[in-house]
Amino acid sequence: MILLGSTGSIGVNTLKITKEFNLNVDTLVAGSNYKLLNQQIKEFKPKNVVVSNKEIAQKIDFKNVKYGEEAILEVIEESESEIVINALVGEVGLKPTLKTNECNKKLALANKESLVIAGKFVDTSKLTPIDSEHFGLWYLLNDRKIKKLNITASGGALRDYPLDKLQNASLDEVLNHPNWSMGTKITIDSATMVNKLFEVIEAKWLFRIDNIDAIIETSSTIHSFIDFIDGSTTAHIAYPDMRLPIAFSLMGKVEKEIVTHIDFTKISNLEFRKIDTIRYPIWEIKDEFIKNPDLGVVINTTNEIAITKFVNKEINFGEISKIILKMVDKYQNIKIDLLDDIFEIQKEIKLNLI
């Protein structure tokens, strides 16, 4: 197994599964958390280790540590391992996804940006999703005719925040998620609803259907549900624990309990809410995005820049969505024909916004 993003929450949970099922770890790839990476190296004894840069590489307790983007691509190509878990965050995960495809290896994908940016260029036939929502859809799908796919959203840290104060919510408030603790970017994306916008497009590419929607389910117990043409609906329900989709992505099937079954007598209520475009203005472009998924490179690149500006206190929280919507309007007729088009548009947007 090649694990990209070993020190993040997905990576840590992946290593828990490899330990529980005694799976081999061939390669660990991480960013700057060298202390945790050194612990992982000591415990899992990988053949290869790759980090983000030379400065971090000098702090790693490993004989032949490599660094940089090219090193990640090289290790994917040269390793004998036939499965890659891509849990990198942001656009940096795209090239490893494409390289995994090129090498005809199995891809367990938690890097949603790969499909958001370049879904039309990604072969999904050897791809299994690690997102809990898409895992739930995959788990439920069968030969019955589908009317609609639905995924759920937590609503993020600001789902009950006063609307008149929303624009100026602080970083600490945005990161104070009510249901879980994850990385900075995904938690901000949860608050803006960009994360769910991305997951809708992931579902489009994974399941080749355009009738996709999302609603808020505040407990994060129901991850997704499917409406069938016969009028029935089936839901995937489990405690929010990423070890479940990770286990299936690594082994195809699991015949032991990974998470504790839900005791419905202990759930006081399930609350569902519509995604309100006043609180989540980014949701206005959901249907437009489904019709033209080439907008993914625009939305993702702009979002990453806007998040950096927000974290650095250069803009307020409300401006994240405004900047994205403005850029989508500018590029509303975008058409991507070649993979190189994506990288050119990324450069163009960065020149405009940075």
Side-chain angles (χ1 to χ4, degrees):
M1 175 188 69
I2 300 168
L3 176 55
L4 314 181
S6 70
T7 58
S9 60
I10 297 293
V12 169
N13 278 299
T14 298
L15 291 175
K16 288 179 182 178
I17 292 295
T18 62
K19 186 175 182 179
E20 182 175 352
F21 289 90
N22 196 30
L23 303 176
N24 177 58
V25 178
D26 179 272
T27 300
L28 292 176
V29 175
S32 58
N33 191 346
Y34 65 91
K35 291 182 179 179
L36 178 54
L37 178 58
N38 280 331
Q39 292 172 19
Q40 293 174 342
I41 291 168
K42 186 176 181 180
E43 181 173 4
F44 294 96
K45 298 178 175 54
K47 294 179 182 177
N48 307 291
V49 174
V50 183
V51 293
S52 56
N53 56 57
K54 186 176 182 179
E55 182 181 353
I56 298 298
Q58 293 171 346
K59 300 177 181 179
I60 304 302
D61 299 328
F62 191 80
K63 187 176 182 181
N64 295 312
V65 62
K66 300 177 181 179
Y67 60 89
E69 182 181 70
E70 287 303 315
I72 297 174
L73 304 183
E74 286 174 9
V75 80
I76 291 172
E77 184 171 356
E78 295 171 2
S79 171
E80 295 180 359
S81 176
E82 288 300 313
I83 183 167
V84 177
I85 294 87
N86 186 349
L88 297 172
V89 177
E91 64 182 42
V92 68
L94 173 58
K95 289 183 179 180
T97 287
L98 297 172
K99 174 59 73 172
T100 302
N101 271 182
E102 180 187 319
C103 296
N104 200 31
K105 295 186 177 186
K106 181 182 176 183
L107 174 65
L109 187 65
N111 175 260
K112 61 193 65 184
E113 290 84 359
S114 293
L115 291 179
V116 170
I117 297 170
K120 66 165 57 175
F121 300 104
V122 177
D123 178 6
T124 58
S125 64
K126 295 188 74 173
L127 185 161
T128 54
I130 289 182
D131 265 336
S132 56
E133 294 83 359
H134 303 94
F135 168 72
L137 292 173
W138 170 82
Y139 200 94
L140 295 171
L141 282 167
N142 53 41
D143 293 331
R144 287 180 290 173
K145 291 185 178 179
I146 300 166
K147 181 178 181 181
K148 186 178 183 180
L149 300 181
N150 303 276
I151 57 177
T152 60
S154 68
L158 306 180
R159 67 189 183 200
D160 298 310
Y161 201 83
L163 283 173
D164 60 343
K165 298 180 180 179
L166 194 63
Q167 297 293 311
N168 296 309
S170 71
L171 178 60
D172 286 343
E173 289 170 322
V174 172
L175 296 180
N176 187 25
H177 198 286
N179 295 3
W180 55 68
S181 176
M182 295 187 78
T184 297
K185 180 184 182 296
I186 192 170
T187 309
I188 296 173
D189 285 345
S190 179
T192 59
M193 205 57 73
V194 166
N195 186 53
K196 209 53 50 176
L197 192 69
F198 284 179
E199 289 179 0
V200 165
I201 297 306
E202 277 189 278
K204 173 187 173 75
W205 291 119
L206 288 167
F207 306 111
R208 305 294 167 171
I209 185 172
D210 285 353
N211 195 4
I212 312 162
D213 208 347
I215 62 170
I216 293 171
E217 191 277 286
T218 56
S219 74
S220 299
T221 302
I222 298 176
H223 306 291
S224 53
F225 51 97
I226 296 177
D227 294 338
F228 297 99
I229 62 167
D230 59 12
S232 63
T233 299
T234 303
H236 186 257
I237 306 171
Y239 286 122
D241 190 323
M242 293 309 298
R243 291 178 302 146
L244 187 60
I246 290 167
F248 274 85
S249 71
L250 288 174
M251 295 177 287
K253 65 177 182 177
V254 178
E255 296 180 343
K256 65 173 287 186
E257 185 176 286
I258 301 295
V259 296
T260 304
H261 284 93
I262 290 174
D263 183 346
F264 288 96
T265 65
K266 294 181 179 178
I267 297 178
S268 57
N269 69 299
L270 290 173
E271 181 184 358
F272 299 93
R273 304 180 190 176
K274 183 178 180 180
I275 298 176
D276 182 357
T277 54
I278 296 176
R279 185 175 296 276
Y280 307 103
I282 200 71
W283 204 246
E284 293 175 5
I285 60 172
K286 188 261 294 183
D287 292 337
E288 180 183 358
F289 194 9
I290 291 174
K291 289 177 183 176
N292 184 12
D294 286 347
L295 284 166
V297 61
V298 177
I299 297 170
N300 183 75
T301 305
T302 307
N303 181 57
E304 292 194 15
I305 294 169
I307 285 176
T308 299
K309 288 178 178 289
F310 171 60
V311 171
N312 292 338
K313 298 182 179 180
E314 297 172 30
I315 62 173
N316 65 29
F317 173 74
E319 288 182 271
I320 297 174
S321 294
K322 290 178 182 177
I323 292 170
I324 295 170
L325 291 172
K326 184 177 180 180
M327 199 60 70
V328 167
D329 187 58
K330 180 179 179 179
Y331 285 90
Q332 61 181 309
N333 296 317
I334 188 173
K335 182 162 177 54
I336 303 291
D337 295 312
L338 302 170
L339 191 58
D340 285 345
D341 295 342
I342 290 173
F343 303 117
E344 287 302 314
I345 291 167
Q346 285 177 328
K347 290 178 186 177
E348 187 176 300
I349 292 172
K350 289 174 182 179
L351 284 172
N352 287 331
L353 292 180
I354 295 178

